[in-house]
Amino acid sequence: MSDIHGLLLCGTQLSRLNYDRGLAKHRGKTWAEISHQKLSKFCKNTFVSVTGSQVANYSHIFGSNNTIKDSVQIKGPLAGLLSAHLAHPDYDFLVLACDQLDIKIDTLELLLRKYNYSNESDVIMYQHLGKPQPLPGIYTSNLLRDILQRYRKATDRTDMSLHSSIKNASICSFHLPEAKVSEFKTILRHH
């Protein structure tokens, strides 16, 4: 098992449908539980990032010590990443979104292999057709520390996103094999 920690992003919901994707069920388990299990195969600890309105439901499933409430005022995956960094500033995170149910174990394993051999990189991710695929991905504490400093200094945070925050980072990205492209499509079906 690696020294890396898992971070499952569950902090968004389909507001127009009042629908929390992480709590949707598939074969008797929530999407969050399925994704959490995948991360837990490789990680010392796996944390779940949620919004304030989701804390009670996710703490009930994963425990309050493993549930991290978003604590920064931005939207998207970056909110979960920075909130996890504030809670655990020395951790590197293997990050997965709760609606990426099709991501296979070997896909995560390849990211970890690159992480173990890429001491210089701040981010490890796949790319497809020349475009970065930031989730799943690995984000180091050094990078998150830098992003947090930029967040604290920013007067306008409307353009802060995961993509914009990593564009000047040291990235180890590698080609996503065509056979794995379908794993990266998020699931938006309704149960």
Side-chain angles (χ1 to χ4, degrees):
M1 187 170 293
S2 176
D3 283 341
I4 199 160
H5 299 268
L7 180 62
L8 181 63
L9 301 175
C10 298
T12 60
Q13 67 180 52
L14 300 176
S15 56
R16 67 185 178 280
L17 303 171
N18 196 26
Y19 181 74
D20 187 331
R21 291 180 278 189
L23 297 178
K25 297 269 185 161
H26 179 73
R27 297 184 181 164
K29 290 186 177 180
T30 65
W31 290 8
E33 288 172 307
I34 294 166
S35 298
H36 189 276
Q37 276 184 320
K38 290 177 187 180
L39 290 172
S40 295
K41 287 184 184 291
F42 304 107
C43 302
K44 276 187 166 184
N45 300 307
T46 298
F47 302 96
V48 180
S49 169
V50 297
T51 64
S53 65
Q54 297 172 297
V55 169
N57 287 332
Y58 285 86
S59 292
H60 178 74
I61 297 169
F62 299 105
S64 59
N65 290 339
N66 295 321
T67 305
I68 299 173
K69 177 184 165 190
D70 286 350
S71 59
V72 295
Q73 301 304 310
I74 51 177
K75 294 184 181 192
L78 189 56
L81 263 168
L82 288 181
S83 299
H85 176 70
L86 284 167
H88 303 286
D90 297 324
Y91 290 2
D92 295 348
F93 290 104
L94 170 59
V95 184
L96 181 66
C98 68
D99 60 356
Q100 291 184 302
L101 286 185
D102 293 333
I103 296 292
K104 305 281 189 272
I105 295 297
D106 66 318
T107 303
L108 297 174
E109 200 167 33
L110 184 54
L111 285 169
L112 285 165
R113 270 190 259 138
K114 296 284 186 181
Y115 170 77
N116 289 328
Y117 294 106
S118 179
N119 297 336
E120 303 292 317
S121 299
D122 294 322
V123 182
I124 293 125
M125 68 173 73
Y126 288 96
Q127 65 172 328
H128 180 61
L129 302 175
K131 295 181 181 175
Q133 302 296 315
L135 297 174
I138 296 176
Y139 296 83
T140 66
S141 60
N142 288 334
L143 172 71
L144 296 173
R145 192 173 302 110
D146 290 346
I147 295 171
L148 182 61
Q149 286 175 355
R150 281 185 269 147
Y151 167 81
R152 288 178 170 156
K153 290 178 184 175
T155 54
D156 179 16
R157 297 179 180 138
T158 55
D159 69 336
M160 285 199 79
S161 68
L162 186 53
H163 280 280
S164 69
S165 295
I166 63 172
K167 67 182 171 190
N168 294 321
S170 172
I171 299 174
C172 171
S173 65
F174 50 100
H175 177 70
L176 176 64
E178 200 58 40
K180 295 204 156 286
V181 170
S182 64
E183 291 180 35
F184 283 70
K185 294 188 168 95
T186 56
I187 301 168
L188 295 175
R189 62 182 169 211
H190 311 288
H191 295 278

